[in-house]
Amino acid sequence: MTTSTQKLMVNGKDFTLDADPNMPVLWALRDILGLTGTKFGCGAGLCGACTIHVDGSPMRGCLTSLKQVQGKQVTTIEGLETEQLKQAWLEHNVPQCGYCQAGQLMSAAALLKTTAKPSEAQIDDAMSGNICRCGTYPRIKAAIKSASEA
């Protein structure tokens, strides 16, 4: 493992890390910066628990390296500023165990940023990469619809 100075912009703040440029940004966020809202799920980019935004686009933190985010803005669940969406999540009682919810919210926020009034098919498409083991998909969809109408 080769370490070098990595500059990271997270939630509007600049950080300098001494880390391997190939390290997944998920580990830098959780283990170095202490931002534990982004979860480790499968480690293969399949479950969506580690979803972050890189320059506003959803990406899997477990598959995205520090070198890939150099000079880009990373947003985690701790920095997500979508109060309407968070309120809809509460109103529709979306979380059950809660483990996947940060990734679900990050994907939903990215959808609503690009599509103000998504159709059911657009919601299904945008959320298809996020797995909820508790099966709260109907509540997730209802919360996204509600937030888009607010």
Side-chain angles (χ1 to χ4, degrees):
M1 177 172 86
T2 304
T3 62
S4 60
T5 300
Q6 303 298 309
K7 294 193 183 291
L8 200 54
M9 294 185 298
V10 180
N11 300 332
K13 297 178 183 174
D14 291 323
F15 297 92
T16 301
L17 312 175
D18 187 30
D20 184 339
N22 295 310
M23 172 190 281
V25 71
L26 173 65
W27 300 128
L29 294 170
R30 292 184 57 80
D31 296 345
I32 299 173
L33 300 179
L35 297 171
T36 58
T38 305
K39 303 299 184 202
F40 173 76
C42 65
L46 302 172
C47 74
C50 67
T51 303
I52 57 173
H53 292 176
V54 177
D55 286 344
S57 296
M59 296 186 76
R60 301 298 191 244
C62 70
L63 297 178
T64 306
S65 69
L66 286 174
K67 68 182 171 191
Q68 290 174 287
V69 298
Q70 294 300 295
K72 298 178 181 177
Q73 179 59 243
V74 175
T75 306
T76 68
I77 189 67
E78 291 91 346
L80 188 64
E81 295 180 10
T82 55
E83 293 312 311
Q84 288 177 330
L85 183 59
K86 291 177 185 178
Q87 186 60 39
W89 234 247
L90 293 173
E91 288 171 4
H92 290 274
N93 198 27
V94 172
Q96 190 163 318
C97 84
Y99 197 82
C100 71
Q101 294 307 302
Q104 299 281 1
L105 280 161
M106 296 303 285
S107 291
L111 168 64
L112 292 175
K113 184 178 178 185
T114 60
T115 310
K117 303 271 187 205
S119 67
E120 294 214 9
Q122 288 171 313
I123 293 171
D124 289 341
D125 186 51
M127 302 304 292
S128 66
N130 292 78
I131 296 173
C132 174
R133 292 182 183 193
C134 300
T136 66
Y137 300 114
R139 297 190 310 234
I140 290 168
K141 187 183 281 189
I144 294 169
K145 274 298 223 193
S146 178
S148 75
E149 294 165 357

